[in-house]
Amino acid sequence: MFDLKYIPTSMYCMYSPTPVKDSTRDQLLEAAKSLLWEVGYESMSPRKILERSGAGHGSLYHHFSGKADLAGTALLEIEVELTESLDRALLADVSPIERIRRFLNKKRQGNKGCRLGRLTQEASIASPTLRDPIARYFSHAEKQLTQTLQEAITSGELQPDINPRDLACGLLSIIQGGYVLSRANGNGKYATISARGALALLDSATLK
Amino acid sequence: MFDLKYIPTSMYCMYSPTPVKDSTRDQLLEAAKSLLWEVGYESMSPRKILERSGAGHGSLYHHFSGKADLAGTALLEIEVELTESLDRALLADVSPIERIRRFLNKKRQGNKGCRLGRLTQEASIASPTLRDPIARYFSHAEKQLTQTLQEAITSGELQPDINPRDLACGLLSIIQGGYVLSRANGNGKYATISARGALALLDSATLK
DNA sequence: GTCTATAGCGTGATAGAC
DNA sequence: GTCTATCACGCTATAGAC
């Protein structure tokens, strides 16, 4: 049996023409998703979730087994959203290198951090409920970028002596590290500056 | 008057032939430094600090005004240590590009994260006590890397159309992002893989 | 300089009425 | 499905004896 309750909110549209986004459960999820981005998992107290969602104490523990369960469900939705966004950037409607550029040029909120990457430092991600969505997203991103870079080599756009997987990880890291620099310097622009550095390097490895 | 109490432990050797590293205050600092690396600031409770250091409750609040003060002092020491390590890698005893390679090739503990970068996601770094040492380190690193890359361009090692500051931020980001990937994947090797990607890109931007 | 006792507060969850 | 009351616990800090 396929329990509709466990389908991420962002996927409802695939199954229902009128997605119910204003149920108490959904409001709890939206509150959790925004708090995970703003303050992370450990600092996201039930109190804050209830304040932001407008839900009552009873509702949280009725719809979810607890904080970890709510966060895990929220992370599943975030995973879907980020994965869709990544796949859109890498859509094969332009040349492989052009897709990579589109990915690097994405708008990013440096001062807030990556919605998944920022949770990576917390001790609590040792728990599979929290770790799995994060690990799956990065694993998918690595795979898709590697494949796109491999295509770029095959098509003669990129120097053939470059290891596509190493470069894929390097590019993913630049994005994640750009967030770190942004927060360290208290200046969201560092995410953009770092991406620009990556674009320049990529350019010099590109065969004209 | 220059208060010796505020000289980072790692600098004692410069002033005294027999550095006192076993005082209760120093034990508290060492415990805080290791905990900041392992669990971060917010999860570093006074209880854990006292357990690890062997000090008693009274000592903590005698030597420091509280948790924030202790952490701030510990961060000052970490800042000095990381800065020294960076400067050693960039020592001008080899060619500029070779110095950059030495920096990228440093041994790193991917599964633990950067001792300063990992604190970047916590809400508490809004406080200057915690933010300043982190911001100073990254600012210094950006400056030193930029200068080294500029030298590489001047000496004809690096393509002149590359913006040294953008690239400096890109390289710093790759290191920081490598830590993020390592923790996301639960595999410390990603820090090395990302650095390898950076080295390859740098190679292709280097004039042979 | 270190000890013990204690305090106020927030967290994360449970119980049971409605 | 939501409400209020309540709980045990850990956090961070203070007080005052020694």
Side-chain angles (χ1 to χ4, degrees):
Chain A
M1 174 54 190
F2 195 13
D3 189 344
L4 274 170
K5 257 178 58 179
Y6 296 113
I7 296 175
T9 309
S10 58
M11 290 175 70
Y12 276 158
C13 55
M14 295 169 63
Y15 302 90
S16 153
T18 51
V20 185
K21 290 279 294 179
D22 54 347
S23 70
T24 302
R25 187 173 180 277
D26 287 327
Q27 287 171 327
L28 283 165
L29 275 171
E30 287 307 316
K33 282 160 72 174
S34 62
L35 280 169
L36 281 171
W37 198 359
E38 288 170 36
V39 305
Y41 174 73
E42 283 158 15
S43 289
M44 177 186 76
S45 67
R47 235 172 61 98
K48 287 182 191 155
I49 299 170
L50 299 179
E51 269 172 21
R52 181 162 300 196
S53 67
H57 198 132
S59 300
L60 201 169
Y61 293 92
H62 171 74
H63 291 291
F64 302 94
S65 72
K67 174 183 164 177
D69 182 29
L70 169 55
T73 310
L75 282 175
L76 281 179
E77 297 200 3
I78 296 172
E79 179 201 346
V80 169
E81 289 167 20
L82 291 196
T83 300
E84 283 175 358
S85 166
L86 173 86
D87 291 348
R88 254 195 314 279
L90 296 183
L91 252 191
D93 56 346
V94 289
S95 83
I97 284 290
E98 215 46 59
R99 291 173 228 160
I100 300 286
R101 285 210 187 91
R102 199 162 50 188
F103 165 70
L104 291 173
N105 277 322
K106 263 184 173 307
K107 277 249 178 296
R108 293 184 169 91
Q109 305 203 35
N111 40 340
K112 292 181 82 174
C114 170
R115 285 207 274 168
L116 293 180
R118 71 152 294 159
L119 303 171
T120 263
Q121 309 290 1
E122 307 202 34
S124 318
I125 61 146
S127 145
T129 317
L130 304 180
R131 146 158 282 142
D132 288 353
I134 302 174
R136 266 198 310 270
Y137 168 72
F138 280 104
S139 170
H140 174 80
E142 177 188 334
K143 209 160 127 190
Q144 295 304 110
L145 282 173
T146 301
Q147 191 185 309
T148 306
L149 289 167
Q150 180 58 62
E151 282 179 49
I153 293 173
T154 306
S155 75
E157 268 189 304
L158 194 63
Q159 287 179 15
D161 56 337
I162 283 194
N163 178 313
R165 192 225 180 181
D166 287 1
L167 182 49
C169 291
L171 295 180
L172 268 178
S173 291
I174 285 204
I175 300 304
Q176 292 302 313
Y179 287 123
V180 174
L181 290 201
S182 286
R183 290 187 59 91
N185 291 299
N187 180 350
K189 289 191 180 145
Y190 273 84
T192 311
I193 297 173
S194 296
R196 225 161 48 203
L199 282 163
L201 279 183
L202 196 66
D203 249 12
S204 65
T206 304
L207 303 169
K208 307 279 159 53
Chain B
M1 173 57 187
F2 195 12
D3 190 345
L4 276 169
K5 258 179 60 181
Y6 295 113
I7 296 175
T9 308
S10 59
M11 289 175 69
Y12 275 161
C13 53
M14 296 168 60
Y15 302 90
S16 152
T18 50
V20 186
K21 290 278 294 179
D22 53 347
S23 70
T24 301
R25 187 173 179 277
D26 287 328
Q27 286 171 330
L28 282 165
L29 275 171
E30 287 307 315
K33 283 160 73 176
S34 63
L35 279 168
L36 281 171
W37 198 359
E38 287 170 37
V39 305
Y41 174 73
E42 282 157 17
S43 290
M44 177 185 77
S45 66
R47 234 172 61 98
K48 286 181 193 157
I49 298 170
L50 299 179
E51 271 172 18
R52 180 161 302 194
S53 66
H57 197 130
S59 300
L60 201 170
Y61 292 93
H62 172 74
H63 290 291
F64 303 94
S65 72
K67 174 183 164 177
D69 182 30
L70 168 55
T73 310
L75 282 176
L76 281 181
E77 298 201 2
I78 296 172
E79 180 203 344
V80 170
E81 289 166 20
L82 292 197
T83 300
E84 284 175 356
S85 165
L86 174 87
D87 291 348
R88 255 196 312 278
L90 296 183
L91 251 192
D93 54 345
V94 289
S95 83
I97 285 290
E98 212 49 56
R99 292 172 227 160
I100 301 286
R101 286 211 187 92
R102 200 162 49 186
F103 166 71
L104 290 173
N105 277 323
K106 265 185 171 306
K107 277 253 176 295
R108 291 182 170 92
Q109 304 204 36
N111 41 342
K112 291 181 85 175
C114 170
R115 285 205 275 166
L116 292 179
R118 71 152 294 157
L119 303 171
T120 265
Q121 309 290 1
E122 307 201 34
S124 318
I125 62 147
S127 147
T129 318
L130 303 181
R131 146 159 285 143
D132 288 352
I134 302 174
R136 266 198 310 267
Y137 169 71
F138 280 104
S139 170
H140 174 80
E142 178 189 332
K143 209 160 127 191
Q144 295 304 109
L145 283 173
T146 301
Q147 190 185 310
T148 307
L149 289 167
Q150 180 58 63
E151 284 179 46
I153 293 173
T154 305
S155 74
E157 271 189 302
L158 194 63
Q159 288 179 14
D161 56 336
I162 284 195
N163 178 314
R165 192 223 181 180
D166 287 1
L167 183 49
C169 290
L171 295 181
L172 267 179
S173 291
I174 285 203
I175 300 303
Q176 292 302 312
Y179 288 123
V180 174
L181 290 200
S182 285
R183 289 188 59 91
N185 290 298
N187 180 351
K189 289 191 180 143
Y190 272 84
T192 311
I193 297 173
S194 296
R196 226 160 49 205
L199 282 164
L201 278 184
L202 196 67
D203 249 12
S204 66
T206 303
L207 303 170
K208 306 277 159 54

